[in-house]
Amino acid sequence: MGRLKAALRRTAPWAARNADGAIALALAFVVGVLGIMPPEIFGSEGDKIQTQLVNSSSLVIMALVATALLRDRARQAPVERTITSGALAELPIRLARLEEIETLAHSTRHALDALQLVRVLGSRQEIAQCHAEARRDTARWLFKGGTGTYLRAVTLPQCVAAARRDKRHLTVRVEVIDPSDLEVCETYAHYRRSLSDTPDGTGETWTTDRVRKESYATVLAAFWHRQRYGLLDIGVGLSSTMTTFRWDLSSSRLIMTVEDPNKAMTALADTFYYENCDTELRLSFEQARRVPLEMYRKVPLSDEPTIEEVQELFERVGLPLPKSYNGHDVVDIARKALRAVDPYA
């Protein structure tokens, strides 16, 4: 009995809210019961009475169902009017606002990317990967640094090879220490030794003589590659001041490295930092002592330049080798120019 009362209490609120539906359900149950009962229960005319009861109850059920449908339609009418007159009417405006929000989000994302000046690279592998991505399909390369060892060993040969493969133009600007300026060469050698007095990745220690030879080798490499690829536009500037940074700038990104082979910074093209470094490198190159690369036709170099060819080259371009240099020194310069060892390998 208690369970029945509890069930009635639970169903009573629902029945009150849906009286017509509840009555129709009850009548449907009664009609079902009447339909399966034996006609004899209703007397001598049981079939007729049973049929009348079922038909009458069915009509009442249909009336209740129609009432429920009309009531639901009446309830939905205000909602439909609100949707059709309000939300749908405002839909174009809301879509326009959504488009504005998407545009604003895109602009904000672009601004945040521009504000992110640099990303720090923390390993040799990450730096090497970043250089490889910078070289991929680049149409230009700007370099400023000490003597350009990595430039000769990796960057310049691979960029020229890729440009030759695709038969496209390549612009290169290189700024290194002036090998004829003994003071800056000594300053740079002292700086490198102060960081480490052990041999670097090339197996050599830094001396004034090595600094000079490395810079001479960069000049020689520029002439050698220019003579062998007609679509290479290369320029070399010689600086009387040293820098502790090395800048490598391609069409896609800027990479700044230091003496620590596991530390570097990079910035993508079209960012604030990239654009300003691009301007800085261009202005610095314009102020450097320019090597007359346009004379490359007048000083031909063999695939394996001879001592005489190298000496004549530097004489003709106004950058004579020191008189103390012998044949071994000239061969050393040629080796560094065309077979430079990757200092980060």
Side-chain angles (χ1 to χ4, degrees), residues 10-220:
R10 288 195 299 270
T11 57
W14 176 85
R17 290 192 303 270
N18 303 276
D20 46 6
I23 295 173
L25 181 61
L27 286 175
F29 177 77
V30 172
V31 170
V33 173
L34 291 174
I36 63 175
M37 290 178 67
E40 292 79 9
I41 296 176
F42 301 99
S44 59
E45 296 182 355
D47 289 336
K48 184 177 180 181
I49 295 173
Q50 186 181 33
T51 301
Q52 290 178 349
L53 288 173
V54 171
N55 292 338
S56 300
S57 299
S58 298
L59 291 174
V60 173
I61 293 172
M62 293 176 62
L64 290 172
V65 171
T67 302
L69 291 174
L70 291 173
R71 183 195 61 184
D72 290 342
R73 184 170 297 177
R75 290 176 179 176
Q76 293 175 1
V79 178
E80 293 177 353
R81 284 195 300 269
T82 301
I83 293 175
T84 55
S85 62
L88 290 179
E90 295 177 359
L91 185 59
I93 300 175
R94 294 184 179 182
L95 290 176
R97 289 179 180 175
L98 181 60
E99 186 177 354
E100 291 177 1
I101 292 173
E102 290 179 350
T103 303
L104 179 60
H106 179 75
S107 302
T108 303
R109 189 182 302 110
H110 184 76
L112 290 174
D113 291 340
L115 289 174
Q116 186 181 3
L117 298 183
V118 296
R119 180 168 62 91
V120 176
L121 307 176
S123 68
R124 292 172 182 262
Q125 294 77 15
E126 196 174 8
I127 296 171
Q129 178 64 28
C130 191
H131 272 280
E133 292 174 356
R135 290 192 298 268
R136 187 178 299 120
D137 299 327
T138 187
R140 66 180 185 129
W141 196 280
L142 276 64
F143 171 83
K144 178 181 179 180
T147 59
T149 305
Y150 184 80
L151 178 82
R152 282 179 276 112
V154 180
T155 304
L156 187 56
Q158 292 195 11
C159 285
V160 172
R164 178 181 287 111
R165 182 179 60 250
D166 299 336
K167 297 178 177 59
R168 55 180 169 78
H169 185 268
L170 176 65
T171 300
V172 178
R173 294 292 179 265
V174 179
E175 184 178 344
V176 293
I177 289 174
D178 188 342
S180 64
D181 190 327
L182 280 177
E183 184 176 355
V184 69
C185 291
E186 290 174 355
T187 302
Y188 186 75
H190 176 73
Y191 168 71
R192 295 297 298 267
R193 285 197 309 271
S194 68
L195 299 178
S196 175
D197 57 0
T198 59
D200 61 10
T202 65
E204 299 182 60
T205 56
W206 282 97
T207 63
T208 302
D209 184 61
R210 181 189 172 187
V211 174
R212 302 186 75 185
K213 286 181 178 178
E214 298 281 357
S215 287
Y216 278 123
T218 298
V219 176
L220 178 59

Side-chain angles (χ1 to χ4, degrees), residues 146-153 156 174 176-179 204 209-225 234 236 238 301 305 310 313-314 319 321 325 329-341:
T147 59
T149 305
Y150 184 80
L151 178 82
R152 282 179 276 112
L156 187 56
V174 179
V176 293
I177 289 174
D178 188 342
E204 299 182 60
D209 184 61
R210 181 189 172 187
V211 174
R212 302 186 75 185
K213 286 181 178 178
E214 298 281 357
S215 287
Y216 278 123
T218 298
V219 176
L220 178 59
F223 274 98
W224 191 89
H225 284 288
I234 186 168
V236 178
L238 305 178
L301 297 169
V310 174
L313 167 69
F314 286 109
L319 193 64
L321 297 175
Y325 278 13
D329 295 313
V330 176
V331 170
D332 195 24
I333 292 173
R335 176 184 60 82
K336 290 177 180 293
L338 305 180
R339 293 185 178 83
V341 178

